[in-house]
Amino acid sequence: MVLIVGVSRRTMGRGELLAPAHVRFVPWDGSYEAEVLWRRNGDRTVELVDAVSRGKAVRWVHLDTVGVDRLPLTVWRERGMRVSNGRGLSTVQVAEWALGAILLAMRRLHETVRLSDLGLWQRPTGSICTLHGQRVVILGMGRIGTRVAHLANAFGATVTGVIRSKPVAHDPRRPLVDSLLSVDRFREACNGASILVLCAPVTEETVSIVSDEVLSELLDSAWVVNAARGALIDEAALAEAVRCGRLGGAVLDVTSREPPVANSPLWGHPDIVLSGHMADQPRASPEECNGLFSAELQRYLCHERMHNEVDLIRGY
């Protein structure tokens, strides 16, 4: 029996696919009835969703990327489909971006670059701090959040991790943080913190979780670093807090609309840095993506739960 796997035509043209035994790759917009669709890096979500809607035989969708909040998970769950993602493929890249964003904020590197571009030999006007001794809160302690905690710890920061459920005594993340709290204590966790790093998925519970009330708990000099999804933040509240001096600034790799509209309050403030959704660069190699797909494929064929299987109710 041959398993038909649909991919985009651009993926077919790149010649990066290694076909395991009994697997045939076909264009997902072709006439074949694929049981599996594989969304590679660079493929458009809208094309994938359209391919699923037309492919009545589709039972499993695999993604090289992590986020699934833009997918119609409820519809797919009702169809009895399964979804797996690329969790782990960009952990190092995104965590390093987050650390870079934190250091940019603490050392005022964004202002330093602007002064240099102007030909000025002078120190930034804002307060320069060390990461050592700062209170860092990380919302979302999956692979990326856990690695950010490890890096922040190495710099001597005090780290609080915030997770979805109530922490248990034997949680393996405990040694990496000074405290581990459930999300219902998120506002409490932010009280007096210098840095808030967002590494959580977007769900019904986390949309706009970084509200004006949460921002008010942070120090006036605090910075928000978003390495996850723009929808986690009330962006109007964040922009106003920075403008009024109730927040030090923000480094955002993601926004609720990408790119933000021309009149978005996120543009134009010297202490709001937008990085254009590039934290996962350089993307995982074709070999890494092929390896993950092959491993998940074996579990799928054995009717086992896949390592990176997405809970279609929870949304991650």
Side-chain angles (χ1 to χ4, degrees):
M1 177 181 176
V2 176
L3 181 70
I4 304 298
V5 178
V7 296
S8 70
R9 291 188 181 274
R10 68 175 63 86
T11 290
M12 295 284 290
R14 288 199 296 256
E16 300 171 347
L17 299 173
L18 298 176
H22 310 302
V23 170
R24 180 184 180 190
F25 291 111
V26 302
W28 65 25
D29 60 351
S31 59
Y32 302 94
E33 282 294 315
E35 180 178 340
V36 180
L37 296 186
W38 182 3
R39 179 190 185 275
R40 303 299 306 275
N41 278 321
D43 289 338
R44 298 181 63 208
T45 299
V46 64
E47 293 174 357
L48 170 67
V49 174
D50 179 64
V52 172
S53 67
R54 289 184 290 101
K56 304 306 179 185
V58 176
R59 292 293 174 267
W60 169 35
V61 170
H62 178 70
L63 316 168
D64 282 353
T65 52
V66 178
V68 296
D69 51 289
R70 297 188 178 100
L71 300 175
L73 298 183
T74 300
V75 174
W76 290 2
R77 177 166 57 87
E78 291 172 351
R79 278 184 55 172
M81 290 172 48
R82 302 171 69 183
V83 177
S84 58
N85 66 9
R87 189 169 62 249
L89 291 177
S90 59
T91 297
V92 170
Q93 298 92 314
V94 178
E96 286 187 359
W97 177 90
L99 177 64
I102 294 171
L103 294 176
L104 175 145
M106 294 290 95
R107 307 299 296 178
R108 302 291 300 180
L109 297 180
H110 61 301
E111 189 175 350
T112 302
V113 170
R114 292 185 182 121
L115 291 169
S116 176
D117 287 344
L118 293 172
L120 299 175
W121 178 270
Q122 68 183 60
R123 296 173 181 172
T125 57
S127 177
I128 298 175
C129 305
T130 64
L131 178 53
H132 182 88
Q134 300 294 331
R135 282 232 307 115
V136 176
V137 175
I138 303 174
L139 176 66
M141 288 289 289
R143 298 186 190 186
I144 293 172
T146 298
R147 190 168 182 88
V148 173
H150 173 77
L151 296 173
N153 256 325
F155 278 77
T158 300
V159 181
T160 298
V162 179
I163 61 177
R164 181 178 183 272
S165 55
K166 185 176 180 180
V168 294
H170 60 273
D171 193 303
R173 295 167 290 190
R174 281 191 179 276
L176 293 174
V177 297
D178 295 273
S179 59
L180 193 63
L181 304 176
S182 56
V183 72
D184 60 308
R185 300 178 65 185
F186 179 45
R187 183 171 176 178
E188 173 191 340
C190 290
N191 183 258
S194 304
I195 297 286
L196 171 60
V197 184
L198 306 180
C199 301
V202 171
T203 65
E204 291 182 0
E205 293 77 22
T206 60
V207 170
S208 296
I209 190 171
V210 183
S211 61
D212 188 57
E213 292 75 19
V214 166
L215 295 172
S216 68
E217 296 288 347
L218 300 168
L219 294 176
D220 288 349
S221 58
W223 280 66
V224 174
V225 172
N226 194 353
R229 281 288 190 261
L232 295 171
I233 301 176
D234 180 337
E235 293 174 341
L238 179 137
E240 180 64 13
V242 176
R243 189 188 68 80
C244 294
R246 293 189 291 108
L247 190 69
V251 187
L252 311 175
D253 187 56
V254 289
T255 55
S256 58
R257 175 170 174 171
E258 297 181 354
V261 295
N263 63 349
S264 168
L266 297 177
W267 292 118
H269 195 286
D271 287 327
I272 298 179
V273 180
L274 307 181
S275 74
H277 208 144
M278 49 74 68
D280 63 345
Q281 302 293 319
R283 285 176 171 161
S285 68
E287 293 76 18
E288 291 172 307
C289 296
N290 287 337
L292 176 59
F293 176 76
S294 295
E296 298 291 58
L297 174 63
Q298 292 306 310
R299 299 184 72 85
Y300 174 79
L301 293 175
C302 293
H303 306 286
E304 299 174 357
R305 182 170 180 81
M306 293 172 282
H307 290 294
N308 283 6
E309 187 149 354
V310 175
D311 186 319
L312 301 187
I313 296 178
R314 289 185 174 182
Y316 59 90

